[in-house]
Amino acid sequence: MSLLVEAPAWDHGQRRQMIVDSLLRDVFQGRLRAGQHLVTRELADRFRVSHTPVREALISLAGIGVIDLLPNRGAVVRRVTAREVYEICQVRRALECEAVRTACGRIDPEALQLLADDFRRQALADLSDPRYVEEARDADNRLHDLIAGSSGNAFLAKELTRLKVLFRAFRDMAWEHDEAMNDLHRVAEEAHEHLSIVESLLDGRRQDAVRSMGLHIEGGAKYWSRALVTTATIED
């Protein structure tokens, strides 16, 4: 059963994004199943908002392939398979590697240095520290946002911004699964992968930065697919 969400005093865009994020978590954590109908009125009651941000959130979710908007049937949850996760990551690899290629030489070195320091600390940190995952999530977000914003390509940056909601939902699903299993080794591996990207950008080694980003995305594809299958099996 879905719980009512206490809606803070957010603006319209924040309310829409809150609904998108919450429904993505429900889908990937098995609380919303494939084929289940999403009723606008029920969602508006749950999130204590008007119908407008709910409709906009459903359109956003349809745009990234998580639900289908069907004539006379409304919004229906899609089954996201491991194969689709892999294909999504192929697209992500192309976009992120191009962003790295064009950002190299443009990106703020001070911001990169701060990230390098963070990733070095994370690579050596105590995985049992309750702050570990939250700090890793924050640094991951900052790095990918910095690269997209420094790419010099407004369309590419906009597309990465549109899709990052989906990418981060997959990441969080996998990391939360690992937290529950008390195994955060992949999170630590990502700190090393991120550091390799950052150090290459700091040194102006464009091809190395692109290669490191590609390896990072490929590792995530395998990891996300495995976590999705495991989570679905547990929920079933």
Side-chain angles (χ1 to χ4, degrees):
M1 179 182 296
S2 296
L3 298 177
L4 285 174
V5 174
E6 192 68 36
W10 288 348
D11 65 24
H12 181 81
Q14 289 174 315
R15 287 194 294 272
R16 178 182 65 246
Q17 192 59 51
M18 176 267 293
I19 296 166
V20 169
D21 292 344
S22 185
L23 292 177
L24 279 171
R25 285 195 299 273
D26 286 351
V27 170
F28 294 138
Q29 293 175 2
R31 291 188 291 270
L32 287 174
R33 299 303 187 92
Q36 188 168 340
H37 287 254
L38 300 177
V39 180
T40 301
R41 183 186 66 256
E42 293 176 357
L43 292 174
D45 290 343
R46 172 187 169 186
F47 292 106
R48 300 182 181 180
V49 298
S50 69
H51 288 199
T52 299
V54 171
R55 293 193 188 99
E56 292 175 352
L58 294 177
I59 291 170
S60 295
L61 290 168
I64 57 178
V66 175
I67 67 170
D68 289 321
L69 295 176
L70 305 175
N72 303 317
R73 293 184 61 196
V76 179
V77 178
R78 293 185 66 252
R79 179 175 295 281
V80 180
T81 65
R83 176 65 187 177
E84 286 175 309
V85 173
Y86 178 75
E87 291 174 352
I88 289 166
C89 287
Q90 284 183 306
V91 173
R92 185 191 184 197
R93 186 178 187 276
L95 295 175
E96 296 270 18
C97 286
E98 177 61 16
V100 165
R101 188 186 70 79
T102 56
C104 190
R106 297 172 177 265
I107 201 161
D108 180 4
E110 292 185 5
L112 283 175
Q113 190 58 61
L114 288 173
L115 282 164
D117 294 341
D118 286 345
F119 291 132
R120 289 189 185 102
R121 281 194 297 271
Q122 288 169 22
L124 300 172
D126 179 3
L127 300 186
S128 65
D129 188 328
R131 298 168 299 179
Y132 185 78
V133 170
E134 191 56 42
E135 291 175 357
R137 183 182 291 113
D138 174 70
D140 177 80
N141 291 348
R142 286 189 289 125
L143 174 61
H144 288 281
D145 286 348
L146 179 64
I147 291 171
S150 304
S151 67
N153 184 323
F155 186 86
L156 175 59
K158 184 176 181 180
E159 191 65 6
L160 282 168
T161 297
R162 183 178 73 86
L163 291 172
K164 74 181 181 182
V165 177
L166 182 60
F167 302 154
R168 290 174 184 178
F170 282 135
R171 177 201 64 191
D172 291 345
M173 172 269 298
W175 285 7
E176 287 167 12
H177 169 261
D178 281 2
E179 277 191 284
M181 301 294 289
N182 197 29
D183 180 6
L184 293 174
H185 288 94
R186 173 57 193 167
V187 186
E189 286 176 5
E190 292 204 14
H192 290 281
E193 293 169 2
H194 286 138
L195 182 58
S196 179
I197 296 167
V198 171
E199 289 179 336
S200 296
L201 287 170
L202 277 168
D203 293 341
R205 293 181 282 112
R206 179 176 281 108
Q207 291 305 316
D208 288 343
V210 171
R211 187 179 302 109
S212 293
M213 178 61 82
L215 291 172
H216 170 56
I217 302 300
E218 288 172 7
K222 297 174 185 176
Y223 177 67
W224 293 354
S225 298
R226 185 168 62 247
L228 180 68
V229 170
T230 303
T231 301
T233 301
I234 291 172
E235 294 294 338
D236 288 343

